[in-house]
Amino acid sequence: MRADAQRNAEKLRTAAAELFQERGLQVPLKEIARRAGVSHGTLYNLFGTREALIDEVVTDLAADRLDEAAEHALSLEDAWEGFAYYIETVCELQATDPALADVLSGRYPGAERLMALCDRAHDASTRIIERAQQAGALRPDFTGEDLLFVFGTNALLTRAAADAAPDAWRRGVAFVLDGLRTQAAQKPLPVGPLTPQQMYDVMGRLSGTP
Amino acid sequence: MRADAQRNAEKLRTAAAELFQERGLQVPLKEIARRAGVSHGTLYNLFGTREALIDEVVTDLAADRLDEAAEHALSLEDAWEGFAYYIETVCELQATDPALADVLSGRYPGAERLMALCDRAHDASTRIIERAQQAGALRPDFTGEDLLFVFGTNALLTRAAADAAPDAWRRGVAFVLDGLRTQAAQKPLPVGPLTPQQMYDVMGRLSGTP
DNA sequence: GAGTAAGTTGACCCCAGGGTCAAAATGACT
DNA sequence: AGTCATTTTGACCCTGGGGTCAACTTACTC
């Protein structure tokens, strides 16, 4: 790869990282090129697709944050505290970083590394959930897919409320957490959890990906 | 108004009602005209704006359903049952009718009758909430604005899941309801409720209206 | 049944986003 | 310095939404 191409790729990565974090993963590619001071043709030439760009730019940052949250959650003595910490922290990350919100509530089949990260995050969630359930604190009918739903709704709400009420999500999360404790459960849930395939479809629609 | 104009307006109302219910209030106006078998120019001529069309076509249907749900909720002996019934019923309406979902999670300042309906629905919600709180069943820190948030997120989720998992919303609602009972409340909520003005802004962003 | 106001039409404009590609520019190697 | 492969550019195309309006058509009235 020629030196100028290297430089342009770097400029594009920087611009994309900024815009993704400011406005989410659907930001127009032409705008990224504009901010990088480069023709949009160059962006297509160097990255080809939006998902490839996302994969390069977003994955590592997101991975660091999510892994750290999961690790800390599991390190807490109290299993419920760990579970609550995880949810609150991830929701807070979503509130402050639209890119991360999209990662968790979207579907980017072309972004391989990102998908791997999602799988890893899902595994970590499952561990955190199961630990809290084994400790008797978290209701046993709650699943990793349900948690994804929580993150999905939180992504939408935090984005909608980012300007007018940037902390509003904390109320919603508090209500949900209170409903997830074992002693809050009243009767069997009306329907079973989603299968991974259903989840995949739903995520696609949540983010507008067909 | 000439007879043919009457007829066309009627055809447009019918087509709009169908498409709104099938696909939500953002359906392209040109598509409504197409289904009505009429030029889109005629649509603009007869209704002017999307909101005017919405106001004529959606308001009464929505009003019937919402009023009935509220009335029945208040008629139930048990205040908590009434509250739960109201939430479940409205969420179910949203799941089966995208138009209604948009009504409750959107903002249509130009649709005067619709706005009046929203105010009425909000009042009814407040009454249902307060009754359940006075009975000691619903946590006292829950407000009508919080309920709107519940409906807003439910609207988006039901739409995303409509094909893959049309009943998924029931799980989410069950979790939330369990978190709203008085005995579920654990500690003071981290932030206060939204003001109506904040709510208005957030709703605008939820539905994509600027 | 002729005249006229009312209504309809569809071609046309705008904008924004995705995406392509021939031609121009430029880096790198000899 | 000359050559050539690589890279960049921006004009261009497409889609799909909103919206307008001059010219046409039609319903009503006398």
Side-chain angles (χ1 to χ4, degrees), chain B residues 119-192:
Chain B
D119 288 348
R120 208 163 70 237
H122 194 255
D123 290 349
S125 301
T126 307
R127 250 175 289 129
I128 292 166
I129 288 170
E130 282 170 0
R131 189 170 81 114
Q133 284 169 335
Q134 272 151 25
L138 172 62
R139 53 193 296 171
D141 48 9
F142 187 78
T143 73
E145 280 73 31
D146 292 320
L147 184 54
L148 264 185
F149 256 84
V150 172
F151 291 153
T153 58
N154 186 65
L156 297 167
L157 276 187
T158 52
R159 177 146 331 162
D163 291 339
D167 275 343
W169 63 270
R170 292 186 191 276
R171 275 177 85 82
V173 168
F175 288 135
V176 170
L177 276 178
D178 282 343
L180 296 182
R181 299 181 114 102
T182 301
Q183 66 267 28
Q186 296 285 325
K187 37 188 173 183
L189 290 170
V191 291

Side-chain angles (χ1 to χ4, degrees), chain B residues 83-131:
Chain B
F83 175 72
Y85 170 87
Y86 185 64
I87 294 199
E88 280 164 3
T89 305
V90 171
C91 288
E92 183 161 19
L93 288 172
Q94 290 187 306
T96 52
D97 183 348
L100 194 68
D102 285 338
V103 164
L104 286 171
S105 61
R107 197 187 56 177
Y108 302 89
E112 289 182 25
R113 293 174 56 236
L114 189 57
M115 289 309 274
L117 162 62
C118 287
D119 288 348
R120 208 163 70 237
H122 194 255
D123 290 349
S125 301
T126 307
R127 250 175 289 129
I128 292 166
I129 288 170
E130 282 170 0
R131 189 170 81 114

Side-chain angles (χ1 to χ4, degrees), chain B residues 1-2 4-5 8 39-42 45-46:
Chain B
M1 189 183 241
R2 241 164 60 175
D4 54 345
N8 284 334
S39 156
H40 64 273
T42 300
N45 179 32
L46 291 176

Side-chain angles (χ1 to χ4, degrees), chain A residues 13 32 34 42 53 59 63 77 93 103 142 145 150 153 159 168 170 177 179 208-209:
Chain A
R13 275 188 216 104
I32 294 176
R34 209 178 309 136
T42 300
L53 184 56
T59 307
E77 280 287 306
L93 288 173
V103 165
F142 186 77
E145 281 71 32
V150 172
T153 58
R159 180 147 328 165
R170 293 186 189 277
L177 276 178
T209 317

Side-chain angles (χ1 to χ4, degrees), chain A residues 195-210:
Chain A
T195 65
Q197 177 58 45
Q198 286 176 309
M199 210 59 221
Y200 183 79
D201 294 345
V202 172
M203 292 314 234
R205 301 213 160 227
L206 252 192
S207 60
T209 317

Side-chain angles (χ1 to χ4, degrees), chain B residues 22-56:
Chain B
E22 288 169 20
R23 318 229 313 258
L25 300 183
Q26 322 74 8
V27 104
L29 292 183
K30 284 183 181 172
E31 197 163 335
I32 293 175
R34 209 177 309 138
R35 181 172 297 196
V38 141
S39 156
H40 64 273
T42 300
L43 192 161
Y44 284 105
N45 179 32
L46 291 176
F47 295 93
T49 68
R50 156 176 251 109
E51 291 189 354
L53 184 56
I54 290 174
D55 212 18
E56 282 203 31

